[in-house]
Amino acid sequence: MSTQQPTFELRSEEELSLDLIEAQYALKDSQDKKNAKSVLILVSGIELAGKGEAVKQLREWLDPRYLKVKADAPKLLSADETFWQSYTRFIPAEGQIVVMFGNWYSDLLSTAMHVAKPLDEKLFDAYVEQMRSFEHDLQNNNVHVIKVWFDLSWKSLQKRLDQIDASEQHWHKLHGLDWRNKKQYDTLQSLSQRFTDDWYVIDGEDAERRDQCFAQYILQTLQELPVHQTKVTEKWQQAKVPNELLEPSKQVLDKDQYKDELSKLTKKVADALRYDDRKVIVALEGMDAAGKGGAIKRIVKKLDPREYEIHTIGAPERYELRRPYLWRFWNKLNDGEKITIFDRTWYGRVLVERIEEYATTVEWQRAYDEINRFEQSLVDSQTIVVKIWLAISKDEQAVRFKEREETPHKRFKITPEDWRNREKWDDYLDAAADMFERTNTDYAPWYVIATDDKNTARIEVLKAILKQLKAD
């Protein structure tokens, strides 16, 4: 399986435990500091190879309060849910260590071995590639991923099955597999070799050596956590700002025509969203006061409030900053809502976080590919992503800001921060141009609506949704 496996000599339990606890606390104490990390341990392997025993022993050698263990039975991968969707809430924060018994590889193997509808090799390998890309993005965002496979020979497995207590006979067909079936065992071993080349493989024959190897490998990893890239290696090529952003349309839509179109389109959009079999995410971005709130009101006008969820995105909370920046968006998609609307989105990484230098240059430049992979995974799991950028002129923004200040029920919408952001208008245009160039994809294109007329913008937003749903 894996190559260049580290080897370990047996050590005294007291000495090993002391070193593990020191490394554990060094990790814990690093939270909220520069280059703070977390550790995610994925555990899989042959049943009765000692996975549970090894994790149990590790927990005894560590401070058990700061080692979280998630253990779930494998489930079948679904065409309408991303492989990571049920696991993201358990991704460790800075300073934490989490062990996942049930993980996306367990689900992959369970799905591949499913008798009724097994995966073909091409799809299996495609899943592996997606999983590795996801882990790569986790690592870049300071979640160090460790993958450990516990192996056991067929002969030893059968011997252990003979020895287990009658009350534990459920092991015979645990997770839908018959561990007395040599053909299934061989198939599982063959499948595991398609992805374990970057795993640490532990022989489960000798219990003492097994537990020590697992613990010492975790210790070595904690003591040698890598420092990820912090310097830019390539010269940045600034994209050209589209003319429509520089000169938004000033044409005004006739009020009667607006009312007529709005009545028809709000119903059509509601029906399209309601009756489409896929999930739908509407992601709204744009300049301050460009009309995102007004557009959202028209999108949901003919929908029942129980049919959708709206997320208004502001600055991340402190606990969110301790995790990968996409984490708070992953978890907003875990509630099973069919229609989800975002007022501001994950694109904050390459907009406000870039401009205000909340993200390093390496972080925001890397984010375009991370976002594309995120959106691709959503689309691959039967989700339509509608991305809309609302643009207005700088003069029109000033007019709307003053109107907000002078209107009692709108004053809450305007802050000194909004006025300050106008000083960086050109920076936002540059950031938007880069964003369009690098994240405008066939599966999740951008719809740029540039107009100083609110009514026109609202109509165009509804049309964009229908177009992406292919319901126009």
Side-chain angles (χ1 to χ4, degrees), residues 244-261:
E244 56 193 324
L245 264 62
L246 296 172
E247 298 180 8
S249 171
K250 299 186 182 302
Q251 186 173 349
V252 177
L253 184 64
D254 178 78
K255 287 187 177 180
D256 290 335
Q257 182 183 353
Y258 167 68
K259 290 180 180 180
D260 183 56
E261 285 198 61

Side-chain angles (χ1 to χ4, degrees), residues 381-396:
S381 59
Q382 304 300 304
T383 299
I384 300 296
V385 180
V386 189
K387 302 187 306 194
I388 299 172
W389 177 272
L390 292 172
I392 54 175
S393 67
K394 193 173 184 180
D395 289 342
E396 176 64 19

